[in-house]
Every structure is written in C-alpha cells, then in structure tokens.
C-alpha cells in the first residue's frame, strides 16, 4: 500500500493517515530533500537550487504538518509517531542551517548583478535566509558546530516533553461530586458540561476538569470557596513539584535543561544571552528597548492596577464578607463587582452569542473589510466530527482554506492557536493555495443546547481568525516570506489583535449576536452595559501581561541559565515589582508557561504588548474613517495582510498608517490615562 504522507495534496487525507505511516514517510521525504539539495548544488542558481529545494521541503512540511497537528488535538496514539518524526525533521533543518555550500549559494545570489533587479519577496527571502543561516551556526567549526546541532535537536525534544507534561497534568486531575449543591453558582451551561463530562467517564453527577471552560466557570462563578481553592491550586501547580500532583509531571528539570541549552546556543554564536539571540529576528532593536518599553508601560499601568485591586478588596470585605482576599477569590469577587457596577456578566451575554451566529457574523465582518467571502467545504475529511472546513473566496474564486476545530475535549491541547497546513507558493503545477488550522477550546453543545460563547471567547475567535487572514490573504508566492513566514515575531500578533477591535463595535456586534432561542438582537441596554464594562480591571490585566513578559525577557537575558529555584525567585521578584494580586504559595506558573518553553515566544512574550501598539494604532485609522470603510480596509489588506514577510514589518506599518506607530491608541483603548511614554516600537 502506498503511503499517503509521501505525496500530500493541498488538503491532508485525514481519513487515510495512520500513526505507523509517519516514521517511514518522514525518513523518505528527508532523503528526497537531501538529494534535491545535492543535485541543486551542481549548478547553483535560484532556479536550479532554491526552487527545487523549496518544492521538496514543501512536501516534507505538508507531511509533518498534519502529524504535528494531530498530536496537538488528539494526542494519545499520535504522540510517539510525532516525536519520532520531530527527531528526523529537527535533524534535517539543523543540518541544513549549517550547510556551508547552500549558505554560499545564498551569499553569491545576494552579491550577484541581478539581485537588485529581483522583486522584493525574492530578495527578502535571500536576506532572511542569510540571517537564519548565521543564527543556525553556519559559521561555527568543529566541536562548536557539532555542539550547536546537538543542542538544537535536544531542545526540540525538551519542548515537546514540556508540552506533554502540561497536557498530561491537565488531563489527569478531575474533581467529582454527586451533590449538585457543591456547584451552586455555576451557570447552567457549565453544569451541563460538567454532567456530560461525568457521563463520558461512566460517572453519576458532575465532573470538574482543568480544561479552560470548566476551570474558568468554577473560578468565576462557584460560591463554594473551598472548591475554588482546590481547583485553583490544581491548575496553578500543574506539571510542577507541588500541588495535588506534585512531582508526577514535574517540568522543573525540563525547564532547567531548556534554559541551559538556549544559553549555550547564544554563547556559541558569540552572544551574551538567549535574549540577544531572540532579538536578532525581531523588530525590537535591543534588550534595552524591550525592557524600557515594558517598564515604562508598567509604571503607567500599576497605579491604576493598585486602585483596582484595592477596590476589589474593599468590595470583598464590605459586600461579600471576605476579609482576606485570596488568589482563588479574585475572579469570583471581580465578577460580583462587575455585576453590581454594570449589571452585566459574561453569562448574561452568553445566550446572545451562539457559536454559529458568531461565526457567520465574523465572516460578514471580514467580507465588509476585505471583500472576501467564506464558504463551507463539503466532503472534506477531518480528524473529528466537530471540525469544519471552509474556503475563502475572492470574486467567487477560491484563494485559501482553513480547518476550524472550535471545541474543548479530552486529550486536546488547551488554549487557542493558528497553524499552517500549506503556504502559498508557485509550483510546477501552478499556484498552491494557503491553508490554515484554527483551533480554540470553547464549550461544546450539550444536548439540545448549542455552543454558547462568552464575549471573551468571541474575541478569541476573532483573534485566531486574524492570524488566519494574515496567512491566507497573502499575495506573496515565495514560500519563505508568504503569509506569516518571515514576519518578525514581535509583529506577528498585530493582525490578530487588530481584528479583535470589531468585537467591541456596535455595528459589528449586531452581526455576531442573536439570542439562540428567539433570534432577538442583543438588547441595547445590555450592549451599553457591555461597552461600559469593556475596561473593567484592564489595568490589572495589563500588569499581569507585563509580569509574564518581564519574567520571560529577564529570564532569558540572565548572564547564566537559572536553576528551578532561581527561576522561582526571579518570578517572585518581577511580581514584587509589577503584580498587584495575591499569589498562592503553590503557584508554579512557569512550569506550565508553554508559550516560552514549548512555543515560539522565548524572550518574545513582550510581543503581545509590542504588537498591540501597532494593532491599536492601525485600528485608530478605522475609527477616523469608519470601521467598515472599504478604502481603509483595502489599504490594510494591501499593505499588511497581502505582504506577508516580504518586507520589514515597520515599513509595512508606516506605508499603511502614513507615519511611525504611536502608543496613544493603545492607552486609550485600554482605559489607561494617556501620558507621554519614552518608548517606540521602531
């Protein structure tokens, strides 16, 4: 039987994929890439060397993409084959990054007479390629070269292990009761989901898990303070040395090993620390610029955050008889205060945001902005019955596609993300369309009740679709810089955060909301309350994000890699400087901080705030011209979304906005007093 992974078409044949097919397919595809390179080096040129190599690597990427994806959304039987494939793929890319002969081809092309006459995407792919070769240790010799390669392979394994520990720890803990009074305060949607979770395990009653919807429902609504404490403790101690699972899935040694190897990589390249290595491929000029940005923003936000937490404590004491505000009280008390002040809650809004209506409304928003339509695909294989596939069309013609896996389930990685199935590129057969995965973890339908989203979940869907549009609306045909490829990591969040703004616009809200039973629009009184509450505790949220960003950056800017105990001390130090909420003694946030230990955000978590300056300022032009102004939408489409990584992110922003980025819009949108900040993302 032929192996379907050897020749993946545009859409993976998920119905034919089996775990045992992975290892032999990846081995063969890696071999093909290596042979293609050797053939291309015989007469080096763009056409002879880089074009066929891109074609071979595209087949490798399209084969490994569904394997990596299935490991994230199904885990279980896909873990071992994914890790085996990861070992082979990492080894290939590591060796390629140190291939001196290929590096010389890039150098020769960059110095050639025709280089200046090339179109920008091709030129950019060469320039970024040269940078990436240098960051891959192409200039190293002997033992240093071998050590760098070995470290790269080991880092890939450790990142996967870190993520596995977090997933296993999350899945392993549950809390079961047959006494519904223990769950008093939980909304009906959460109770139904807990009952369904219990039934799935063959249990009577209700089952609370650490999956996002279940955890958040308890922390926000459960009147049972002891339950909140127990669930909170289990969540914040996941994959660590403490808490109810202490030591069982402990990431302490994994974390230490990752930090040690990252520091070694940077040192081998002559850099002081991993932060310097990370910034070599980002917008920010240097570590000082990042720290100045974060510290100045913290200085402005912390007074407001202190005021918000003081208000919360006073309300807890005076109105709720909670004398000592604990970490497991924060969300619950905050929800009570929000309801008192604005007479609004996420649960009151939930019936007006049925998933199907939000999704169709999102598509309408995007059509108005960028003149593209969305059409559900038919007879397309997926990995789960909940998953949908859609085509993106322009003037009736298919230009891209995406899978949407929206709902939480067991053995599925938490959070939300966008990933690549295939990139837009020219092939011998014609244009290959960009295809994306969009993944969320919303509460699924239970019985006759459809999936109902909180407004926070609505913004999550818009956020991930913004990432998807960045990938899918590209007009660049060189794979290395099409879509999100080649985009500076501290700019890659801009389109996603940008699209979130429409979740707060009355015109757009009318498109994405309707009561799931009656079809009635969101009442004006609820809309006004929702908008009035937009910046409720926004300063507390801001300093929390700054806590994570400062911790991450200072962790990787350290002169020497830290041990687990020192990592905790650093986090405690950062919290002392910027945090305002109480922290439980069992809190081991770092042990489950997958963004920096199992994702691409190491020494780059600051990107969320950095890119938010760009996204807020970009949206301010729509505020000036009209939120559905077609001319402004086309301007954003042509200058940002279509360009991918073909040009410098700051240059693209300036082309769109007509000036350098300004932080005023971010401060205004966040409700933080506007003061002059000594920062610039340029």
């Amino acid at each position: 039987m032929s192996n379907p992974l050897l020749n993946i078409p545009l859409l993976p044949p998920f119905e034919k994929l089996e775990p045992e097919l992975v290892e032999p397919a990846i081995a063969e595809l890696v071999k093909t890439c290596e042979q293609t390179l050797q053939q291309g080096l015989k007469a080096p040129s763009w056409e002879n060397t880089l074009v066929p190599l891109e074609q071979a690597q595209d087949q490798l990427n399209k084969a490994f993409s569904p394997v990596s994806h299935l490991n994230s959304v199904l885990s279980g039987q896909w873990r071992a084959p994914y890790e085996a494939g990861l070992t082979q793929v990492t080894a290939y890319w590591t060796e390629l990054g140190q291939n001196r002969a290929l590096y010389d081809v890039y150098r020769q092309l960059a110095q050639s007479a025709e280089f200046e006459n090339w179109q920008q995407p091709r030129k950019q792919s060469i320039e970024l390629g040269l940078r990436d070769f240098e960051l891959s240790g192409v200039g190293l010799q002997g033992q240093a070269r071998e050590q760098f390669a070995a470290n790269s392979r080991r880092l890939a394994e450790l990142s996967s292990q870190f993520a596995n520990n977090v997933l296993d720890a999350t899945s392993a803990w549950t809390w079961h009761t047959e006494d519904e009074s223990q769950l008093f305060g939980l909304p009906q949607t959460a109770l139904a989901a807990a009952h369904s979770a219990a039934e799935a395990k063959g249990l009577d009653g209700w089952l609370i898990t650490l999956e996002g919807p279940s955890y958040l429902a308890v922390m926000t609504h459960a009147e049972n303070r002891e339950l909140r404490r127990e669930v909170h403790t289990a969540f914040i101690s996941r994959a660590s040395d403490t808490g109810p699972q202490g030591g069982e899935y402990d990431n302490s040694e994994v974390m230490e090993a990752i930090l040690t190897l990252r520091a070694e990589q940077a040192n081998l390249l002559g850099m002081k620390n991993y932060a310097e290595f990370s910034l070599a491929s980002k917008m920010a000029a240097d570590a000082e610029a990042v720290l100045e940005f974060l510290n100045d923003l913290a200085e402005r936000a912390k007074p407001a955050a202190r005021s918000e937490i003081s208000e919360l404590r006073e309300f807890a004491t005076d109105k709720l008889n909670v004398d000592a505000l604990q970490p497991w009280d924060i969300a619950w008390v905050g929800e009570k205060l929000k309801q008192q002040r604005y007479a609004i809650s996420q649960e009151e809004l939930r019936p007006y945001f049925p998933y199907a209506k939000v999704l169709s409304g999102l598509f309408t928003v995007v059509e108005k902005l960028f003149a593209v339509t969305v059409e559900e695909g038919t007879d397309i294989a997926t990995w789960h019955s909940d998953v949908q596939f859609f085509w993106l069309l322009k003037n009736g013609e298919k230009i891209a596609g995406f899978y949407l896996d929206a709902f939480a389930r067991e053995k599925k990685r938490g959070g939300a993300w966008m990933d690549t199935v295939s990139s837009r590129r020219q092939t011998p057969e014609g244009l290959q369309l960009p295809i994306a995965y969009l993944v969320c973890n919303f509460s699924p339908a239970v019985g006759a009740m459809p999936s109902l989203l909180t407004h926070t979940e609505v913004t999550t869907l818009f956020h991930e679709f913004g990432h998807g549009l960045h990938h899918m609306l590209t007009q660049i045909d060189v794979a290395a810089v099409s879509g999100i490829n080649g985009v500076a990591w501290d700019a890659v969040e801009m389109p996603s955060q940008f699209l979130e703004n429409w979740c707060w616009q009355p015109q757009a809200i009318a498109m994405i909301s309707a009561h799931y039973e009656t079809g009635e629009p969101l009442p004006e009184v609820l809309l006004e309350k929702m908008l009035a509450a937009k910046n409720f505790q926004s300063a507390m949220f801001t300093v929390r994000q700054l806590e994570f960003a400062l911790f991450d950056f200072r962790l990787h800017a350290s002169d020497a890699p830290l041990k687990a105990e020192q990592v905790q001390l650093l986090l405690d130090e950062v919290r002392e400087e910027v945090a305002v909420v109480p922290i439980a003694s069992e809190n081991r946030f770092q042990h489950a901080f997958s963004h920096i230990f199992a994702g691409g955000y190491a020494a780059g978590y600051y990107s969320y705030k950095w890119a938010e300056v760009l996204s807020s300022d970009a949206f301010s032009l729509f505020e000036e011209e009209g939120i559905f102004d077609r001319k402004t939408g086309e301007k954003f489409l042509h200058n940002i979304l279509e360009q991918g990584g073909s040009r410098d992110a700051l240059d693209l922003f300036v082309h769109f906005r007509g000036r350098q980025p300004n932080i005023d819009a971010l401060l205004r949108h966040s409700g933080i007093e506007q003061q002059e900040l000594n920062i610039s993302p340029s």
Side-chain angles (χ1 to χ4, degrees), residues 361-381:
L362 166 61
F363 297 160
T364 302
V365 168
V366 170
E367 181 178 2
K368 283 183 169 292
L369 286 172
F370 307 123
V372 293
T373 57
V374 182
E375 175 185 282
E376 187 160 10
T378 56
D379 299 323
I380 292 172

Side-chain angles (χ1 to χ4, degrees), residues 568-581:
Q568 183 66 57
L569 289 173
L570 174 62
L571 181 54
D572 293 343
E573 183 180 303
V574 171
R575 284 171 170 160
E576 181 67 26
E577 293 172 9
V578 300
V580 297
V581 299

Side-chain angles (χ1 to χ4, degrees), residues 28 99 329 376 396 443 447 454 497 536 550 622:
E28 186 169 336
N99 189 303
D329 298 324
E376 187 160 10
S443 297
T454 65
Q497 292 171 334
F536 178 69
L550 281 164
F622 285 84

Side-chain angles (χ1 to χ4, degrees), residues 454-583:
T454 65
H455 189 258
T456 299
E457 290 174 327
V458 172
T459 62
T460 297
L461 182 61
F462 271 66
H463 180 101
E464 298 310 328
F465 202 70
H467 279 307
L469 290 176
H470 200 186
H471 174 67
M472 294 187 289
L473 292 182
T474 185
Q475 289 295 297
I476 304 303
D477 298 342
V478 179
V481 290
S482 82
I484 60 171
N485 297 331
V487 178
W489 202 256
D490 44 3
V492 80
E493 293 294 333
M494 178 200 173
S496 54
Q497 292 171 334
F498 166 81
L499 199 62
E500 287 183 37
N501 287 287
W502 274 263
C503 299
W504 297 100
Q505 302 303 309
Q507 283 178 267
I509 291 170
M511 299 171 187
I512 62 176
S513 63
H515 194 280
Y516 78 100
E517 291 178 314
T518 66
E520 294 178 2
L522 183 69
E524 189 70 22
V525 64
L526 282 183
L527 173 63
E528 291 175 359
K529 290 175 181 178
M530 187 183 89
L531 296 178
K534 176 179 183 289
N535 288 319
F536 178 69
Q537 295 185 343
S538 65
M540 284 173 58
F541 174 79
T542 295
V543 297
R544 181 172 178 266
Q545 290 296 101
L546 292 171
E547 171 192 324
F548 299 163
L550 281 164
F551 164 67
D552 162 51
F553 202 80
R554 286 168 57 176
L555 179 68
H556 288 100
S558 173
D559 292 335
L562 304 184
K563 294 296 184 182
E565 298 81 2
Q566 295 171 306
V567 172
Q568 183 66 57
L569 289 173
L570 174 62
L571 181 54
D572 293 343
E573 183 180 303
V574 171
R575 284 171 170 160
E576 181 67 26
E577 293 172 9
V578 300
V580 297
V581 299
I583 303 294

